[in-house]
Amino acid sequence: MSKRRALFIGGTGTISMAITKSLALNYSDEWELYLLNRGNRSSELPAGIKEIHADINNEEEAKAALGDLTFDTVCDFIGFVVPQLERDYRLFKGKTKQFMYISSASAYQKPIGDFRITEGTPLANPYWEYSRNKIACEDFLMEKYRNEGFPVTIIRPSHTYDVRNVPLGVHGDKGSWQVIKRMLEGKPVIIHGDGTSLWHMTFNEDFAKGFIGLMGNAHAVGENYQITNDESLTWNQIYQTIADVLGVELKAVHVSSEFLAAASHYDFTGGLIGDKANTVVFDNTKLKRAVPGLAMNIRFEQGVRKTLDYVLSHKECQVEDPEFDAWCDKVISALEEAKKKVLA
């Protein structure tokens, strides 16, 4: 029996690397995997992966590199705006039986109408351009499916993380290490809101299970699926779990999301008000119907322990951010001063 052929545009990011490795290690007898990218992380790839080195943003270069190849599944992990999907449509129309697009669960309606999120939840996010662009990309692809039969499957991840980066709600432009460093130094850390809103954290190895189950799945064409862990945690629980794994005391300072957005140059309007500040509980029933026996069972405590072990043992993951550190101190100091004035 011949193998099915898949092409990943990207294939080495937080989400896609886990899928790439799982396919190579566990499904090599079923799938022949090609990656179309510029080869920046080739040394990290498992054996058996076929690479096509080209810049997908150069359409003629990509078309020449792809040649006459056809695929059972193509997935774009790095499409963010409609012109990129228009390019994909031109490149792969008639050349794939399934086109999988990575959208975002942040596209779901904000302010939320119901904290229980299904694939039927409306898409609308006035707070975040990133999310609006994802919605526009979905609209373009579904129009091509309805009118021309272009075989699209939409995937909506939420907060997915890997071993290289600790997932948090409030951090600077250089990632989460500075917050971890503050915890280790016994300094207070900022949690948005009162920390009681619910959130889902999905380890990328768990995400890969659901995604691979949809690859080549005839029932998935023309459909959209969210892929998240089923575990709901408050942000207080998330930060406390990280502190417990580190073996330190959590010194939390709760700050409203609106204040954080107004008092910084960081994109907390989109990232918090348009996403993480909202209580969400994802219902993955549709995914589980399409992928019978699916078990997304890596709890946050288990996944973040792997992440912290990796980050603490790899200096390249410990990127310091003194600007964010100083901003945290300034916000916390301002709140303390405001408290004193109110009580005076």
Side-chain angles (χ1 to χ4, degrees), residues 3-66:
K3 295 181 183 180
R4 290 182 288 181
R5 183 183 291 164
L7 173 72
F8 289 173
I9 302 170
T12 59
T14 296
I15 288 176
S16 55
M17 182 63 92
I19 303 168
T20 294
K21 289 182 176 179
S22 183
L23 282 172
L25 297 175
N26 304 315
Y27 299 90
S28 60
D29 57 336
E30 299 178 37
W31 287 96
E32 181 180 37
L33 178 60
Y34 291 74
L35 302 188
L36 174 63
N37 57 38
R38 288 177 288 186
N40 294 335
R41 293 183 65 189
S42 297
S43 62
E44 300 178 40
L45 294 174
I49 303 298
K50 298 186 177 182
E51 291 189 88
I52 301 173
H53 289 159
D55 182 358
I56 187 64
N57 294 307
N58 184 328
E59 187 172 338
E60 290 306 311
E61 179 184 329
K63 183 177 181 180
L66 288 164

Side-chain angles (χ1 to χ4, degrees), residues 96-128:
T96 185
K97 297 175 184 177
Q98 181 188 37
F99 182 86
M100 301 178 76
Y101 173 60
I102 301 295
S103 183
S104 171
S106 69
Y108 287 123
Q109 184 181 57
K110 308 292 183 315
I112 61 171
D114 189 330
F115 71 92
R116 294 162 295 191
I117 306 298
T118 72
E119 287 80 359
T121 298
L123 305 183
N125 192 332
Y127 303 106
W128 207 359

Side-chain angles (χ1 to χ4, degrees), residues 181-196:
K181 188 170 184 285
R182 289 179 69 90
M183 287 186 177
L184 292 170
E185 293 173 347
K187 299 178 70 174
V189 297
I190 294 171
I191 300 178
H192 60 276
D194 64 0
T196 62

Side-chain angles (χ1 to χ4, degrees), residues 15 105 108 115-119 155-161 167 198-211 225-234 237-238 280-285 287-288 294-304 306:
I15 288 176
Y108 287 123
F115 71 92
R116 294 162 295 191
I117 306 298
T118 72
E119 287 80 359
I155 308 296
R156 297 180 188 138
S158 186
H159 204 153
T160 307
Y161 66 103
L198 292 170
W199 196 245
H200 289 236
M201 295 291 194
T202 305
F203 197 57
N204 65 345
E205 293 174 10
D206 248 359
F207 182 94
K209 300 172 189 174
F211 184 93
Y225 298 89
Q226 56 196 27
I227 302 179
T228 74
N229 192 289
D230 288 329
E231 181 183 41
S232 296
L233 297 167
T234 68
Q237 289 175 309
I238 289 166
V280 291
V281 176
F282 291 100
D283 181 346
N284 291 296
T285 300
L287 174 66
K288 291 173 183 176
L294 176 65
M296 308 276 282
N297 52 11
I298 300 176
R299 301 190 317 275
F300 180 64
E301 185 275 332
Q302 296 170 313
V304 83
K306 291 183 181 181

Side-chain angles (χ1 to χ4, degrees), residues 109-158:
Q109 184 181 57
K110 308 292 183 315
I112 61 171
D114 189 330
F115 71 92
R116 294 162 295 191
I117 306 298
T118 72
E119 287 80 359
T121 298
L123 305 183
N125 192 332
Y127 303 106
W128 207 359
E129 183 181 14
Y130 164 82
S131 305
R132 294 193 296 275
N133 285 335
K134 288 289 190 178
I135 294 169
C137 289
E138 287 196 29
D139 288 344
F140 168 78
L141 290 170
M142 292 307 294
E143 186 273 331
K144 291 300 181 185
Y145 168 72
R146 288 189 294 267
N147 295 330
E148 301 179 27
F150 189 61
V152 64
T153 299
I154 304 293
I155 308 296
R156 297 180 188 138
S158 186

